[in-house]
């Protein structure tokens, strides 16, 4: 480390200049380094300043200092010529120093030229390697997921969409975190209105820290008081690339392995990337099963409570015996019984999510079996309800998007409450409130319930069901893409008559 | 009138659902008895005639709306500012009254069929919170709810088929056993159930390309006529004439016979379903009343909605007996008939004259 | 925010409706009415109590009161939990009641929205209380009896009946109602022993025995699933009707004559005799048709004498006549000539010849 000298040893003038600045700053961080050098060939004194923890020392020692000390380094303009580094900026604006410094740049000052400063990129990016998707797992299909580094993520998307129309706009968001955020869209497909809305919302964010794309999601949501997520988030580059081609807008945030997608709609949250990998019949059936599961998981426990509390007439006579005998020893009314069991399931789920994977699994199984059977044996809950709650929990896991799954998880509690108050009528009351809420909701200004309402026959082909690719001639209409047609159906094979 | 933003407007074909949902309501539960009282088993002819009548009135309405933007400007054209304003306010009262009838009739159904000990005030409050939430969200959401109120209960059409083993379609024979007068009387009685489509006079400016929606409005009317006809046929085949005269809610009584392996009594499900059917009904009336108030006396719509709901909230628990509800329905029948089949054609003629006179000048 | 406060208030204050939690109420499944002294009515209700081992216990409670409606409220006072009657399955009238007050009592059942339309009205030979006090099957007496009726209606000779159809027949001009009659054989068994015929006032006036039930069903019901033994020259076949239709028409006016066309499609279930040839089958068809003609004509004669009309001849005549006059019909009915014509088709004769 012979190159390093104590700060300001040789250049009192520079030091003065810096000390002026640093005096105004409250304190200097330990990792902020500054040192001065002398190029003997051109007789030039210069100093460099950097943050040691975010620059790559290797670059400084191999690619910067040797050149600066040995090459023809006469003025600051030479830096660009002599250094083998691409990102070298020569600026006159001193205000930039701070920002660049903390973004991994080397700040170079030449003793003779006080006006110009050179910023040399020497950032050390610690990148973890690509891994398998953990939230949106799939049996078949691509196995790569986004990681925390934004450049890497953009790279993943670029590889999938190697066209010049793929546009990237970058923003720095967060007054403290200075998070790099990229807005991506395909220029001649995406509707500019969507892009503009997203851009405006990103620019309007005034928050100190952006830790993850979820921050952006919440800060730019159309309705911030809704339990429903209004942007689809994905960790799969294939899904992100897919929606870009549909004409949607993707937001990547540095430090977050999840991309945001907008505009989206309710039904899209129940589509899994695998739906596009199976043939359309399988995929459609899977989607229908998923939607049924969601309705089932929200409504089954409230229905149980409503029917057992108010509408005994509805129960078929053969079922009455089963229900009554299973509840005979239970001291609680159905609502309490249901709440106890639902809360237990929620606790298990939370515990499972907080604990390390292996223990989490064990907790799930042990909790499910032990607590379930024990509470039935102890006469706290009926076994019929236990089955229903367990089925409902299972069904709620089916939602492919985690955030939507959570929203649905908690949706059943108001339903339960109203079922207790007014029976089936209460359930419908709650249902109407949810429907109204969903009708009010928009995603990037586009109706959230589309294609159900406003009804778009055309968009049904990729909603509850997914028709084959040769039927997907147009992009979804709620995106209002510039280019609506995906491909020219004329090139498709004509249908022939029965072979003779 | 300020121009209405495009995002707030609904597409022409949505009018189909809005019109249909205004017509399908609580009246559908009990209209059979009323029409059969005068026309017996020939009342299905009345349903067809009523369908033709509504379509005719709709035709007139669209002719008027081609000239003027909505009811308020029609009134202004025909009667001038002050008198026109008076008529607007009368319509506010009419819509409010219709709203009262629908809400009270439904609550009565809930009382009789589900919860005999229902606390009317609290239930109404519940009901109105939902109504306020919907109306507060604007016309687009109301129309969305209309859509759901048609689509979600559509399965009931199939459920009605389960009563087929208990029907005898020979009950209709001999066809045309009643005089024209009796059939027309039944048609007049039917107006209570076909009310509601006149609200288009108020929400018309909220339709994109208004005139293009005409065919959808007519389809909506045809659809409801079909539904009413369908239910009339099944009811008459299911009940004996005497039995029908004593049954207040034949539609629900009919569903009592439907049984599934998992649900023994289907009428409960259908009552609950009717909640979905009548909500947009109530909301549209309320929205129209408040919109008219806004256009006439310039009260903020949200305030007038709350005001109207409060008045109704204290009126509804006062109406307690079956008789009172019946009287309520009787009046709406008379008023509704007068508004739709006398006043609107009259307004049409007046508007025609006014336009002619103005053109000559 | 105001909205939420309002909602919250609602939640707290809404003790709007009474609950009836399924395991905290007693579910009434059946009720029976007998005559008591002083013109009073003895009402017996049947509750189902479910034991943990899955069996159902029959609990009956009896009380005597002046009206049928009071019975339940009096019994409520004797019970430790609320008795709910929404899933009532079975109402039994003793013969004595059926001859007198059946219609008055049934009014409460028709009026109440809580009750289903598929409930069975049944007349009992002997006391209704005794019938309800048996121990039939594992799932409770009411379930047992209603199931027995169910499958006999579907696959047997009992004509279709339930609360709705009873009211339909009773209120229809030109038609009278009928109800099945059950008999307690012993503590574990019941039998559907006859069909009781009611007159226009709703009083039991006649019974059709098991022997004629098949023919009654052909006349009053749209579909029939009963079976009948037909004998022909010493050969014997059991023919099971799988489908039947009847068409009642006015065949002649002034004087009025009516015809009933019955179409039966059946299969041979059992055959004893010489080889079953096509000719033989045709002979059987003819013989069966003849038997049906004779028996139904006999039944209708009987109806005419009693002035009852379960087949709905009057209703059918009305459908075929403009401005039908029921007063005139009442006079005509007694001496009306009715022709029965039956057409039997045997579709299959099983897997052997």
């Amino acid at each position: 480390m012979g190159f390093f000298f104590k700060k300001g040893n040789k250049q009192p003038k520079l030091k003065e200049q810096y000390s002026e600045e640093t005096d105004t700053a409250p304190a200097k961080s330990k990792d902020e380094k500054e040192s001065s050098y002398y190029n003997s060939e051109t007789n030039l004194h210069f100093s460099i300043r950097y943050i040691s923890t975010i620059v790559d020392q290797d670059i400084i020692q191999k690619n910067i200092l040797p050149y600066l000390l040995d090459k023809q380094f006469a003025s600051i303009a030479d830096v660009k010529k002599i250094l083998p580094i691409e990102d070298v900026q020569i600026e006159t604006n001193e205000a930039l120093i701070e920002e660049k410094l903390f973004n991994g740049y080397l700040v170079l000052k030449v003793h003779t030229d006080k006006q110009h400063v050179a910023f040399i990129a020497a950032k050390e990016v610690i990148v973890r390697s690509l891994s398998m998707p953990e939230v949106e797992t799939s049996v078949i299909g691509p196995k790569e997921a986004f990681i925390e580094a934004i450049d890497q993520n953009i790279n993943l998307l670029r590889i999938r969409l190697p066209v010049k129309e793929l546009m990237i706009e970058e923003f720095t968001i967060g007054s403290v975190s200075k998070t790099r955020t990229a807005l991506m869209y395909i220029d001649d497909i995406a509707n500019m209105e969507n892009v503009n809305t997203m851009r405006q919302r990103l620019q309007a964010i005034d928050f100190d820290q952006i830790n993850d794309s979820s921050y952006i999601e919440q800060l730019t949501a159309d309705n911030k008081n809704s339990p429903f997520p209004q942007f689809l988030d994905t960790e799969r580059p294939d899904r992100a690339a897919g929606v870009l081609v549909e004409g949607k807008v993707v937001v990547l945030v540095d430090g977050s392995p999840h991309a945001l997608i907008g505009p989206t709609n309710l039904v899209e949250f129940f589509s899994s990337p695998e739906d596009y990998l199976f043939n359309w019949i399988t995929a459609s059936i899977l989607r229908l099963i998923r939607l049924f599961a969601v309705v089932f998981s929200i409504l089954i426990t409230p229905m149980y409570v409503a029917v057992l509390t108010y509408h005994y007439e509805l129960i078929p006579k053969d079922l009455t015996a089963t229900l009554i005998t299973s509840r005979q020893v239970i001291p609680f009314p159905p609502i309490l019984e249901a709440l106890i069991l639902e809360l237990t399931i929620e606790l298990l789920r939370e515990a499972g999510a907080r604990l390390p994977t292996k223990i989490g699994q064990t907790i799930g199984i042990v909790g499910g079996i032990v607590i379930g059977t024990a509470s039935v044996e102890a006469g706290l809950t009926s076994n019929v309800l236990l089955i229903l709650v367990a089925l409902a929990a299972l069904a709620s896991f089916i939602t492919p998007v985690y955030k939507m799954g959570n929203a649905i998880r908690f949706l059943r509690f108001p339903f339960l409450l109203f079922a207790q108050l007014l029976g089936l009528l209460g359930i419908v009351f709650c249902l109407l409130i949810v429907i109204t809420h969903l009708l009010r909701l928009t995603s990037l200004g586009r109706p959230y319930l589309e294609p159900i309402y406003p009804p778009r026959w055309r968009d049904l082909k990729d909603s509850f069901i997914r028709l084959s690719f040769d039927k997907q001639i147009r992009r979804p209409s709620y995106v209002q893409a510039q280019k609506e047609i995906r491909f020219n159906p004329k090139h498709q094979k004509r249908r022939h008559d029965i072979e003779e | 009138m300020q121009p209405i933003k495009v995002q707030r407007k609904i597409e022409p074909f949505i009018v189909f659902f809005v019109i249909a949902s205004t017509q399908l309501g609580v009246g559908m539960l009990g209209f059979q008895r009323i029409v059969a009282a005068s026309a017996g088993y020939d009342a299905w002819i009345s349903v067809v005639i009523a369908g033709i009548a509504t379509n005719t009135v709709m035709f007139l309405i669209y002719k008027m709306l081609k000239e003027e933007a909505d009811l308020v400007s029609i009134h202004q054209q025909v009667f001038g500012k002050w008198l026109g304003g008076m008529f607007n306010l009368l319509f506010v009262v009419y819509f409010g009254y219709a709203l009262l009838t629908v809400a009270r009739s439904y609550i009565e159904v809930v009382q009789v069929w589900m919860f005999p000990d229902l606390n009317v005030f609290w239930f109404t409050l519940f009901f109105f919170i939902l109504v306020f939430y919907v109306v507060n969200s604007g016309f687009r959401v109301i129309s969305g709810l209309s859509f759901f109120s048609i689509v979600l209960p559509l399965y009931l059409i199939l459920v009605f088929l389960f009563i087929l083993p208990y029907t005898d379609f020979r009950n209709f024979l001999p066809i045309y056993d009643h005089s024209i007068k009796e059939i027309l009387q039944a048609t007049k009685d039917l107006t209570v159930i076909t009310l509601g489509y006149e609200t288009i006079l108020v929400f018309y400016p909220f339709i994109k390309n208004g005139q293009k929606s005409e065919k959808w409005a007519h389809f909506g009317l045809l659809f409801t006529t079909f539904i009413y006809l369908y239910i009339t046929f099944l009811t008459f085949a299911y009940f004996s004439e005497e039995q029908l005269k004593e049954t207040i809610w034949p539609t629900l009584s009919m569903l009592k016979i439907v049984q599934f392996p998992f649900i023994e009594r289907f009428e409960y499900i259908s009552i609950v379903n009717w909640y979905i059917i009548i909500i947009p009904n109530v909301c549209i009336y309320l929205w129209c009343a408040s919109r008219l108030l806004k256009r006439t006396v310039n009260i903020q719509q949200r305030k007038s909605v709350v005001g109207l709901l409060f008045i109704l909230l204290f009126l509804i628990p006062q109406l307690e007996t079956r008789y009172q509800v019946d009287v309520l329905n009787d009046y709406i029948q008379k008023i509704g008939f007068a508004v739709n089949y006398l006043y609107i054609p009259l307004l049409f003629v007046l508007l025609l004259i006014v336009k002619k006179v103005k053109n000559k000048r | 925010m105001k909205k939420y406060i309002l909602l919250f208030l609602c939640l707290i204050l809404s003790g709007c409706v009474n609950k009836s939690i399924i395991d905290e109420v007693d579910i009434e499944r059946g009720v029976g009415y007998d005559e008591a002294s002083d013109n009073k009515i003895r009402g017996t209700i049947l509750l189902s109590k479910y034991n943990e081992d899955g069996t159902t216990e029959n609990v009956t409670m009896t009380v005597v009161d002046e009206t049928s409606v009071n019975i339940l409220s009096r019994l409520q006072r004797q019970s430790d939990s609320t008795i709910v009657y929404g899933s009532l399955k079975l109402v039994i009238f003793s013969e004595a009641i059926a001859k007198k007050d059946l219609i008055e009592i049934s009014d409460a059942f028709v009026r109440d929205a809580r009750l289903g339309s598929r409930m069975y009205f049944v007349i009992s030979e002997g006391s209704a209380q005794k019938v309800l006090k048996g121990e039939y099957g594992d799932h409770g007496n009411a379930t047992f009896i209603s199931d027995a009726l169910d499958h006999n209606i579907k696959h047997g000779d009992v004509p279709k009946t339930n609360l709705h159809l009873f009211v339909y027949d009773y209120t229809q001009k030109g038609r009278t109602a009928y109800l099945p009659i059950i008999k307690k054989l012993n503590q574990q068994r019941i039998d559907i022993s006859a069909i009781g015929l009611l007159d226009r006032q709703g009083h039991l006036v006649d019974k059709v025995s098991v022997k004629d039930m098949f023919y009654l069903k052909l006349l009053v019901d749209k579909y029939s699933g009963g079976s009948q033994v037909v004998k022909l020259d010493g050969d014997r076949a059991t023919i099971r009707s799988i489908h039947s239709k009847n068409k009642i028409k006015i065949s002649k006016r002034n004087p009025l004559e009516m015809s009933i066309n019955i179409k039966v499609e059946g299969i041979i279930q059992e055959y004893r005799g010489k080889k079953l040839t096509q000719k033989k089958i045709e002979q059987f068809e003819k013989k069966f048709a003849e038997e049906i003609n004779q028996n139904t004509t006999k039944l209708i004669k009987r109806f005419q004498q009693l002035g009852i009309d379960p087949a709905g001849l009057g209703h059918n005549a009305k459908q075929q006549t403009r401005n039908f006059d029921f007063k005139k019909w009442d006079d005509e009915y007694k001496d009306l000539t009715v022709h029965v014509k039956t057409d039997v088709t045997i579709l299959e004769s099983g897997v052997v010849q």
Side-chain angles (χ1 to χ4, degrees), chain B residues 114 167 240 256-257 265, chain C residues 114-115 118 171 222 322:
Chain B
M114 262 183 139
T167 51
S240 72
K256 263 170 176 282
I257 208 92
R265 300 276 292 285
Chain C
R114 295 237 139 208
L115 295 165
R118 281 181 186 252
T171 52
K222 274 183 272 185
R322 267 183 207 289

Side-chain angles (χ1 to χ4, degrees), chain A residues 1 4-8 18 22 28-37 47-55 57 60 97 101-102 105-108:
Chain A
M1 289 280 151
F4 295 100
F5 298 84
K6 276 278 174 208
K7 185 182 81 180
Y18 279 134
T22 44
K28 190 167 275 182
S29 191
K30 179 97 178 145
D31 55 355
E32 192 175 333
K33 301 276 174 6
E34 187 173 358
S35 34
S36 300
Y37 301 95
S47 68
I48 57 171
R49 194 176 158 208
Y50 58 90
I51 308 291
S52 65
T53 45
I54 52 168
V55 296
Q57 304 283 356
I60 298 177
I97 291 178
L101 204 54
F102 285 97
Y105 283 86
L106 225 70
V107 178
L108 176 86

Side-chain angles (χ1 to χ4, degrees), chain A residues 94-336:
Chain A
E94 298 232 332
L96 277 173
I97 291 178
E98 200 83 336
E99 191 198 319
K100 292 287 179 187
L101 204 54
F102 285 97
N103 270 313
Y105 283 86
L106 225 70
V107 178
L108 176 86
K109 282 218 165 187
V110 177
H111 171 57
T112 48
D113 187 351
K114 280 178 189 157
Q115 282 183 340
H116 290 94
V117 193
F119 301 118
I120 306 158
K123 190 173 188 175
E124 179 169 40
V125 184
I126 300 166
V127 177
R128 73 170 158 111
S129 57
L130 290 183
S131 60
M132 304 251 287
E134 275 176 15
V135 187
E136 294 164 84
T137 45
S138 67
V139 180
I140 50 172
K143 291 282 185 292
E144 60 186 11
F146 284 131
I147 56 167
E148 284 77 3
I150 191 170
D151 294 311
Q152 188 68 261
N153 291 347
I154 293 174
N155 166 280
L156 286 173
L157 284 178
R158 275 265 184 226
I159 291 170
R160 282 172 186 276
L161 304 167
V163 287
K164 71 170 194 306
E165 284 84 8
L166 177 62
M167 287 298 176
I168 300 167
E169 290 177 22
E170 212 177 290
F171 304 90
T172 307
I173 300 172
S175 56
V176 176
S177 69
K178 309 276 182 206
T179 310
R180 287 173 65 202
T181 305
L183 171 65
M184 302 178 76
Y185 55 92
I186 297 184
D187 197 24
D188 61 343
I189 297 176
N191 185 342
M192 276 307 137
E193 211 178 300
N194 293 339
V195 177
N196 291 339
T197 319
M198 197 65 221
R199 188 188 299 129
Q200 275 165 20
R201 288 195 191 165
L202 285 175
Q203 282 164 349
I205 291 176
D206 185 14
F207 199 63
D208 52 355
Q209 185 199 31
I210 306 294
N211 259 346
D212 187 79
S213 61
S214 309
Y215 281 60
I216 303 273
E217 187 206 330
Q218 290 172 50
L219 287 164
T220 55
D222 294 44
N223 181 351
K224 294 179 174 82
N225 297 324
S226 172
F228 296 97
Q230 288 144 60
F231 290 101
L232 191 68
D233 66 313
T234 183
E235 56 169 353
R236 297 177 66 103
D238 53 329
R239 189 168 200 173
V243 296
L244 276 173
V245 177
E246 276 184 355
K248 292 177 187 168
V249 176
V250 169
V251 175
L252 288 170
V253 179
D254 198 18
S256 165
H258 284 260
L260 295 181
I261 297 164
T264 181
N265 61 30
L266 184 70
V267 186
E268 203 179 359
F269 284 93
F270 302 104
S271 76
S272 137
E274 256 179 359
D275 290 352
Y276 298 94
L277 308 177
F278 295 133
N279 87 22
W280 70 273
I281 300 171
T282 320
S284 301
I285 292 170
L286 283 175
R287 273 197 189 174
L288 289 174
I289 288 176
R290 239 175 264 145
L291 285 163
F292 168 77
V294 169
V295 175
F296 178 88
S297 109
I298 294 177
L299 290 182
I300 195 69
T301 349
M303 295 254 250
Y304 173 88
V305 171
V307 169
L308 261 68
T309 315
Y310 293 105
H311 313 290
Y312 63 91
E313 298 98 331
L314 285 182
I315 307 169
K317 58 179 190 276
D318 302 333
L319 197 61
T320 324
T322 322
L323 284 174
I324 290 185
T325 43
S326 83
R327 265 193 55 80
Q328 229 152 30
V329 287
I330 291 147
F332 306 123
I335 176 75
L336 265 184

Side-chain angles (χ1 to χ4, degrees), chain B residues 130-141:
Chain B
L130 177 61
V131 170
F132 176 74
Y133 184 52
V134 177
V135 176
N136 192 25
S137 318
F139 187 71
R140 215 189 64 86
V141 170

